[in-house]
Amino acid sequence: MSGGCDGPGVAAAIRAVAAAIADQHVELTRLDREIGDGDHGENMNRGFKAVVAKLDADQGMAPGAVLKLVAMTLMSTVGGASGPLYGTAFLRAATAVGDTDQLDAAAVGAALAAALGGVQARGKAVPGDKTMVDALVPAAEAAQGDSVAEVLQAAAAAAHDAVATTIPLVARKGRASYLGERSAGHADPGATSTAVILGALAEAAKG
Ligand code: ADP
Ligand code: MG
């Protein structure tokens, strides 16, 4: 097997992400209740349900078109800080992969790097600010391997490990920053959803 991923494969992986978000949305909202306004799980679940409805209606898209559809849908349905940020992430990823019919390992690594660049351009967060950037930076750095599955597995493992590193941090961006020192002691919801997304992509790529 080539280790690559075509348009239907990318669409299937995005459906797996939607299922994982649906599964974890109560926990994501619980985390956001600790240091935010308690809507992150609902926001993400609403967005990815809308994505699945659009994938049902429009099949046979190339990888970049699927990623662009995800971007546009998240931007218009998720709301909050995370909607435009994840929207930008998927839009930059779509631009990075271009109009190829088949993503290889290098393309996935480049897409992740582009996604991180988009989030940082839009949200201006740096590592240590207690945001999704704290999961995306180690994920993008770890995103290496000979196949798409290996690249995503490495990225997902790094993002998963990064969630715990956000617990002691004091938030410097987003709503959680209003809490100051009281934001310490809780995992960041956005870093957690990033780990959920990458974990689901990695699982899907194995199949
Ligand atoms: P809101 O805070 O508007 O209610 P969400 O609850 O959906 O939006 O998302 C909160 C998450 O968004 C945070 O946990 C954090 O990871 C992420 N976030 C907020 N601001 C930024 C930023 N400037 N850069 C990167 N991520 C951010
Ligand atoms: Mg919130």
Side-chain angles (χ1 to χ4, degrees):
M1 113 146 195
S2 68
C5 190
D6 61 7
V10 175
I14 295 296
R15 288 175 186 277
V17 170
I21 290 287
D23 191 55
Q24 293 298 313
H25 83 279
V26 172
E27 172 63 7
L28 293 172
T29 284
R30 187 190 68 75
L31 291 171
D32 195 37
R33 210 175 286 129
E34 300 287 356
I35 61 169
D37 57 351
D39 64 355
H40 187 58
E42 308 308 324
N43 288 346
M44 297 295 285
N45 200 24
R46 181 172 60 247
F48 274 98
K49 279 193 192 310
V51 167
V52 168
K54 290 197 188 172
L55 289 176
D56 288 343
D58 193 352
Q59 298 184 18
M61 281 179 284
V66 173
L67 295 172
K68 190 168 178 193
L69 176 148
V70 174
M72 295 309 177
T73 308
L74 295 184
M75 281 191 199
S76 62
T77 59
V78 172
S82 60
L85 289 167
Y86 276 126
T88 304
F90 278 96
L91 196 57
R92 294 283 183 103
T95 304
V97 308
D99 58 6
T100 179
D101 286 332
Q102 182 92 15
L103 299 186
D104 60 13
V108 172
L112 258 171
L116 167 63
V119 169
Q120 289 198 280
R122 179 123 202 175
K124 313 280 181 234
V126 296
D129 284 349
K130 197 178 181 100
T131 72
M132 61 179 75
V133 167
D134 290 312
L136 277 168
V137 164
E141 279 172 7
Q144 307 215 4
D146 293 332
S147 68
V148 169
E150 271 178 46
V151 170
L152 287 172
Q153 187 52 52
H160 178 269
D161 291 349
V163 171
T165 72
T166 68
I167 294 175
L169 297 174
V170 172
R172 287 190 295 245
K173 281 282 184 294
R175 242 175 239 288
S177 66
Y178 308 157
L179 289 180
E181 300 287 329
R182 279 182 294 136
S183 63
H186 307 279
D188 178 63
T192 308
S193 59
T194 292
V196 170
I197 291 168
L198 289 171
L201 292 175
E203 269 306 302
K206 267 201 233 164

